[in-house]
Amino acid sequence: MGRKLASLLILLLVAVSAVYSIGFGYHVIEARSDVDFAGGIFPIAVNYQFNFPVPDLLPGSMTELAFRLDNGLDFRTLRQNPGNGDFYALTGGVDYSLDYMVVYDEFNLFFNQGFWNDHLTLGVSIDGRFENAYESLEYLSNPDGNALFTLPDGSARFSSFIGAPELEGSRSIFQTYLSGLLAIDFMDDEAVRRNGARLTSDFRITGPWMPMNDSSGDFLISSNTLDLSLTLFHLERGSGKSWISLVLDNSTTYRFIWGDKVPVYIEGGGVLFDDVAAPATRHVVTNELALTIYGPQFTVDTYPSVSLFWDFGYSFGPALNSVADTTYGETVSVWGVKAEFLVLDIFKVYWHWGYVVDPVFNEQSRAITRLGFTFGV
């Protein structure tokens, strides 16, 4: 186990240190932390984007050809029994940990073309993702605990992986897929002021017919998000800055998935706050409502903010990756507060607190606190 942990940390070090080997030409960098790793002090994932210097094909509208690479660690909780796809929240407690972690790399080679002064954007991309799942850091540092994947005698805990196809065999996957994008944007977004609407629709598809694709994924996903924003109050400070502003935001997402093998990373659209998520069914609707106070702006891109939020999710239809024919209609909701401080649009420190008032299935209501930072250039 010690060798596995050392390998994980070496991979993470290579991913993070790669930031310093990139010339500051055409790219964006984002580093992410997680409170489950070293208290959120060190980054666990890095996102690079390399923009090729292509001319705009249409006057006043952007043409973008870019390559994006996202790699690092992801901490997860197993929500469905790998053997049959039953939701753990319905089956009661288990005598082993459901937490595990994943080393991943995802790449996207995409082309986006704007129209009508970028009010309309169409895009296509070729994508791929590698993952390797491991026991949790807690278990690797204390092997006397109850492992998720391995029984005390060293044998595998699960022999079937219907409910978690990405964990079959060596718990390693490599998937490629095709993606498309449609965005209609009439949002005036000026950091501490937002007014308007934005509709974003994207899809991904993969299957055995994709080149270099293993047998761990076979799905079609369509995700559609409508963002609405209104600045209720704004007090100018001068020089393009403000003393204070009050912004109301609402974001509604409908996610549809069809497929025989749907890995957990693609189930998105159901995650609300932290690890709180609507069940992985064929249809998921989520709504995020937030009232945010910004300011004062010390510089245009340095300011604090405090948000009151209410997140709601509704899952319906058959469960993904399940042998049962049961259909579900399950709700989940969280309310809370988020305090953040952004420095030069590069470094952000955050404190988030949420209370789960409508848990999934038979889970108990609870409060969740998160403290950490993000870094991006």
Side-chain angles (χ1 to χ4, degrees):
M1 289 295 181
R3 289 195 298 270
K4 282 190 174 181
L5 178 57
S7 299
L8 282 175
L9 295 179
I10 290 172
L11 282 171
L12 179 60
L13 179 62
V14 170
V16 174
S17 63
V19 173
Y20 302 101
S21 66
I22 303 172
F24 282 79
Y26 299 90
H27 67 274
V28 228
I29 303 173
E30 178 189 11
R32 298 184 300 280
S33 63
D34 192 293
V35 72
D36 291 329
F37 183 83
I41 298 175
F42 299 105
I44 64 166
V46 182
N47 192 321
Y48 324 81
Q49 180 169 312
F50 306 90
N51 291 71
F52 298 97
V54 296
D56 293 334
L57 299 180
L58 299 176
S61 295
M62 183 179 67
T63 300
E64 184 179 26
L65 177 63
F67 178 79
R68 183 178 299 150
L69 179 63
D70 186 4
N71 53 26
L73 281 177
D74 189 16
F75 296 96
R76 296 179 182 171
T77 298
L78 193 62
R79 302 183 187 277
Q80 290 178 265
N81 188 304
N84 53 24
D86 288 346
F87 291 111
Y88 275 112
L90 290 176
T91 59
V94 293
D95 61 355
Y96 50 89
S97 172
L98 297 177
D99 295 329
Y100 65 105
M101 61 182 176
V102 169
V103 175
Y104 72 91
D105 284 278
E106 178 168 328
F107 70 85
N108 317 97
L109 177 61
F110 62 91
F111 174 81
N112 293 335
Q113 177 59 56
F115 301 89
W116 194 15
N117 294 322
D118 288 335
H119 290 305
L120 172 66
T121 300
L122 298 177
V124 293
S125 66
I126 300 175
D127 316 296
R129 187 175 179 100
F130 161 81
E131 285 190 356
N132 209 130
Y134 298 86
E135 300 284 3
S136 66
L137 279 175
E138 181 179 358
Y139 174 76
L140 291 177
S141 61
N142 178 25
D144 295 332
N146 292 323
L148 172 58
F149 304 121
T150 309
L151 292 169
D153 63 4
S155 60
R157 183 178 296 279
F158 306 105
S159 58
S160 174
F161 287 88
I162 297 172
E166 73 276 10
L167 298 179
E168 188 173 1
S170 62
R171 302 193 295 274
S172 177
I173 66 170
F174 187 84
Q175 299 173 356
T176 57
Y177 40 89
L178 300 175
S179 301
L181 168 71
L182 166 65
I184 302 174
D185 192 346
F186 285 90
M187 179 72 72
D188 180 16
D189 191 344
E190 300 179 28
V192 300
R193 289 179 290 178
R194 285 181 298 279
N195 292 282
R198 179 189 299 116
L199 175 65
T200 305
S201 180
D202 58 69
F203 76 90
R204 288 182 175 183
I205 185 171
T206 190
W209 45 272
M210 280 294 294
M212 301 177 63
N213 196 41
D214 62 18
S215 60
S216 59
D218 187 3
F219 58 82
L220 166 67
I221 176 173
S222 172
S223 182
N224 309 274
T225 300
L226 176 63
D227 296 315
L228 302 172
S229 296
L230 177 64
T231 300
L232 303 176
F233 176 77
H234 177 249
L235 181 60
E236 285 281 356
R237 185 181 180 183
S239 301
K241 301 187 292 293
S242 67
W243 286 109
I244 190 172
S245 61
L246 182 64
V247 180
L248 181 66
D249 295 298
N250 191 85
S251 180
T252 304
T253 298
Y254 167 64
R255 186 271 284 151
F256 167 82
I257 295 181
W258 185 285
D260 296 324
K261 294 181 178 181
V262 184
V264 68
Y265 78 86
I266 206 68
E267 293 175 2
V271 177
L272 298 178
F273 176 79
D274 193 61
D275 64 345
V276 179
T281 58
R282 183 169 297 168
H283 308 272
V284 175
V285 176
T286 57
N287 193 83
E288 302 173 13
L289 178 66
L291 182 65
T292 305
I293 299 175
Y294 293 98
Q297 282 182 288
F298 300 99
T299 67
V300 174
D301 46 15
T302 300
Y303 51 85
S305 65
V306 178
S307 300
L308 299 177
F309 72 89
W310 177 62
D311 294 350
F312 174 82
Y314 176 51
S315 295
F316 59 100
L320 302 175
N321 303 323
S322 176
V323 298
D325 294 328
T326 309
T327 57
Y328 297 87
E330 186 69 22
T331 60
V332 58
S333 63
V334 184
W335 63 269
V337 60
K338 298 178 180 179
E340 301 179 349
F341 191 86
L342 181 68
V343 180
L344 299 176
D345 202 20
I346 294 176
F347 184 81
K348 180 169 68 177
V349 180
Y350 65 86
W351 175 81
H352 295 170
W353 180 89
Y355 189 78
V356 187
V357 293
D358 181 15
V360 178
F361 302 123
N362 58 355
E363 294 180 3
Q364 295 182 350
S365 300
R366 66 192 189 280
I368 301 172
T369 302
R370 287 302 194 204
L371 175 66
F373 75 93
T374 59
F375 171 82
V377 177

